[in-house]
Amino acid sequence: MTTTVRHFLTDLDLTQAEQAEVLDLAEAMKKDKYGYKPYAGPQTVAVFFDKTSTRTRVSFAAGIAELGGATLIINSAESQLGHKESISDSAKVLARMVSTIVWRTYAQSGLEEMAENSSVPVINALSDDYHPCQLLADLLTVREHKGSLAGLSMAYLGDAANNMANSYLLAGVTAGMHVRIAGPEGYLPAADIIAAAEARAAETGGSVLVTTDAAAALAGADVVATDTWVSMGQEDEKAERLELFRAYAVDAPAMAQADKDAVVLHCLPAYRGYEISADVIDGPQSVVFDEAENRVHAQKAIMGWLLAKSGLADVAGVSQER
């Protein structure tokens, strides 16, 4: 019986049980750094970058090497993907040469087209709509510091109309968390994202709160997260954004409203004095650098898990569905 190839394009591509299985695998891989070799050969993983990157580039390259594979990193200017050659044609060619395709890009539709035409797993390393690999690292970090995820409350403050807010909503409720998103009017998640999060929350026991009231999001929160207020391509809006988001800064007064044992997340790069204060990101509640390291372990886990579920490798701890 042929196995359906599994991809990881959005946070909802994993059920609650599957997400937990990936996080379990990430913990195991973190403890046994070189003990899993699904890319032995070495097999090649193609990693495409349409957007600049530090953590994504390094974490995927390091993780693929630790899994026994070879990383082929390709910048947009160095390939014909999507402009001189169609995405569908590229996918069909790449799948005959590599074992996994990882793409950090702009449009989510490109990832979807790639996956539709690929016979190997395709992973979203960031798009304009979602950042699911980052959320696996974030949830792994929270598990390490808080234990189980279900029932925890997580507040995200700032620009809530971006890919990070979308993924915090979807991945958080998938884990059974109570996710609270706060940002100014006009900078909140789209209605379809909220609806999808509410539907998933109804299945997992999580909940969704989207508000313009930072205090409502912060009240007693177990986890507090933020992201840059000025993402790539928004530099000309910097002055306006800094003023608009000031009430959503994660600083000492904000943290005083969260639970006293709350942990702080930021996917980096961080701009101290804007979305997060130096005393918070460099303080005792910050787990930001654990979070950054966990990109390696979480991404190793999702790569290995997808290979196993697609019937392309045996990975200890992952049941194969054939």
Side-chain angles (χ1 to χ4, degrees), residues 139 142-143 145-155 172 175-180 205-207 220-223 263:
L139 295 179
V142 174
R143 281 217 320 192
H145 289 270
K146 292 288 186 182
S148 62
L149 298 171
L152 293 178
S153 56
M154 179 164 62
M177 300 175 78
H178 304 293
V179 184
R180 309 164 184 171
S207 67
D222 300 297
V223 181
V263 296

Side-chain angles (χ1 to χ4, degrees), residues 71-308:
T71 309
L72 177 61
I73 291 180
I74 307 166
N75 296 319
S76 58
E78 301 167 347
S79 82
Q80 303 185 56
L81 176 62
H83 47 96
K84 291 186 178 179
E85 182 173 57
S86 69
I87 293 171
S88 59
D89 282 356
S90 294
K92 292 168 186 174
V93 171
L94 287 166
R96 292 176 177 231
M97 300 179 179
V98 304
S99 296
T100 304
I101 300 166
V102 179
W103 194 6
R104 180 180 173 96
T105 188
Y106 294 91
Q108 184 72 17
S109 58
L111 283 156
E112 292 168 358
E113 184 178 352
M114 180 75 79
E116 286 168 4
N117 291 277
S118 175
S119 56
V120 299
V122 175
I123 296 173
N124 178 1
L126 177 143
S127 70
D128 287 343
D129 294 332
Y130 308 101
H131 200 352
C133 288
Q134 179 65 58
L135 259 292
L136 287 179
D138 289 10
L139 295 179
L140 176 61
T141 307
V142 174
R143 281 217 320 192
E144 288 176 341
H145 289 270
K146 292 288 186 182
S148 62
L149 298 171
L152 293 178
S153 56
M154 179 164 62
Y156 171 89
L157 273 63
D159 183 357
N162 66 8
N163 50 11
M164 285 303 300
N166 291 346
S167 281
Y168 272 117
L169 261 181
L170 299 176
V173 297
T174 294
M177 300 175 78
H178 304 293
V179 184
R180 309 164 184 171
I181 304 290
E185 198 66 53
Y187 294 86
L188 296 172
D192 61 326
I193 298 291
I194 297 171
E198 289 175 337
R200 177 58 63 88
E203 300 170 358
T204 65
S207 67
V208 172
L209 172 66
V210 176
T211 179
T212 58
D213 184 353
L218 285 165
D222 300 297
V223 181
V224 178
T226 190
D227 185 24
T228 179
W229 293 340
V230 185
S231 297
M232 286 180 281
Q234 299 172 339
E235 290 80 5
D236 58 344
E237 305 170 29
K238 182 175 180 179
E240 176 187 350
R241 282 175 166 267
L242 293 185
E243 185 59 34
L244 184 65
F245 294 119
R246 200 168 302 281
Y248 301 92
V250 176
D251 52 18
M255 292 306 300
Q257 299 174 67
D259 184 81
K260 64 181 179 60
D261 295 320
V263 296
V264 176
L265 299 172
H266 191 308
C267 66
L268 301 176
Y271 300 93
R272 290 164 173 80
Y274 295 129
E275 74 273 8
I276 192 164
S277 62
D279 60 327
V280 171
I281 193 170
D282 299 320
Q285 291 175 277
S286 173
V287 294
V288 166
F289 297 102
D290 292 345
E291 176 189 5
E293 177 195 341
N294 280 337
R295 285 290 299 275
V296 177
H297 312 301
Q299 288 163 187
K300 286 173 67 176
I302 192 61
M303 287 187 285
W305 189 90
L306 290 171
L307 289 172

Side-chain angles (χ1 to χ4, degrees), residues 58-69:
V58 174
S59 59
F60 267 108
I64 292 161
E66 290 170 13
L67 293 176

